[in-house]
């Protein structure tokens, strides 16, 4: 069974063996996530679930493309933490809010722009809609991030 400490040790070992900046970044991010979990007040069942997930990731597998493999495993692990425990990374909601805000703002801006002036209004509507949507989405996301941080759900 792979626990948080063993996974951290393994990743620290991999970190010390590579010179590639992109690989180091992935290992460091994975290690930070695991360290953050150590600081959480997890129940026995939560710890058990995390250990089972870490074991299923097969982190001590040797592969040709380690960067790609560990990047995928980190994504799986973060998705697991989000689904099971509602743990999010820092600025998760801000980034999601920005994406959704831009999308919604773009469609509203396009609609309004076409309604005002079919030839010139499209570009103006898109510009304004995208900007306003992005700002509103980021504001909402920042509020959700602050709430998650208060609840201790940020890793």
């Amino acid at each position: 069974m792979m626990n948080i400490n063993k996974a951290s040790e393994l990743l620290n070992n991999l970190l010390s063996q590579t010179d590639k900046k992109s690989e180091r970044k992935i290992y460091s991010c994975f290690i930070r996530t695991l360290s953050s979990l150590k600081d959480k007040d997890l129940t026995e069942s939560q710890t058990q679930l995390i250990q089972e997930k870490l074991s299923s990731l097969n982190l001590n597998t040797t592969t040709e493309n380690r960067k790609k493999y560990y990047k995928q495993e980190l994504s799986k692990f973060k998705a697991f933490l989000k689904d099971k425990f509602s743990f999010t990374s820092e600025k998760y909601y801000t980034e999601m809010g920005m994406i959704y805000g831009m999308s919604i703002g773009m469609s509203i801006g396009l609609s309004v722009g076409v309604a005002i002036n079919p030839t010139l209004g499209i570009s103006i509507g898109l510009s304004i809609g995208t900007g306003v949507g992005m700002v509103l989405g980021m504001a909402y996301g920042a509020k959700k991030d602050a709430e998650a941080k208060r609840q201790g759900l940020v890793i």
Side-chain angles (χ1 to χ4, degrees):
M1 182 75 69
M2 175 79 66
N3 65 26
I4 294 173
N5 289 331
K6 284 182 186 175
S8 293
E9 261 180 52
L10 176 80
L11 290 161
N12 273 313
N13 191 20
L14 288 169
L15 181 64
S16 67
Q17 291 174 10
T18 187
D19 296 335
K20 297 177 183 168
K21 190 176 180 180
S22 56
E23 249 184 83
R24 294 178 70 81
K25 189 176 177 183
I26 292 165
Y27 298 145
S28 296
C29 186
F30 216 135
I31 292 165
R32 275 194 311 273
T33 302
L34 292 171
S35 295
S36 180
L37 286 173
K38 284 184 204 174
D39 298 338
K40 298 279 180 210
D41 193 21
L42 299 171
T43 65
E44 188 64 38
S45 62
Q46 288 174 325
T47 304
Q48 184 70 32
L49 277 172
I50 290 170
Q51 288 176 349
E52 287 171 12
K53 184 62 179 178
L54 285 171
S55 294
S56 75
L57 293 177
N58 295 320
L59 294 178
N60 48 8
T61 302
T62 52
T63 61
E64 286 293 312
N65 190 345
R66 289 196 309 195
K67 176 189 163 198
K68 182 179 177 185
Y69 180 77
Y70 283 98
K71 188 175 185 176
Q72 288 173 345
E73 298 309 297
L74 176 60
S75 293
K76 287 180 194 174
F77 189 60
K78 283 185 169 184
F80 162 79
L81 293 173
K82 173 91 175 92
D83 292 343
K84 292 288 182 192
F85 308 111
S86 298
F87 289 152
T88 61
S89 54
E90 220 172 326
K91 297 185 182 173
Y92 171 80
Y93 291 111
T94 303
E95 291 167 2
M96 296 318 285
M98 182 174 74
I99 292 166
Y100 288 126
M102 284 175 64
S103 302
I104 293 168
M106 206 179 296
S107 53
I108 292 172
L110 183 63
S111 303
V112 170
V114 168
I116 293 173
N117 185 343
T119 52
L120 215 59
I122 293 173
S123 62
I124 294 170
L126 274 177
S127 301
I128 293 171
T130 303
V132 170
M134 185 173 74
V135 169
L136 292 176
M138 287 175 68
Y140 178 75
K143 182 180 173 204
K144 292 280 288 177
D145 278 333
E147 187 179 311
K149 194 167 194 154
R150 259 195 324 278
Q151 295 173 354
L153 298 175
V154 177
I155 52 170

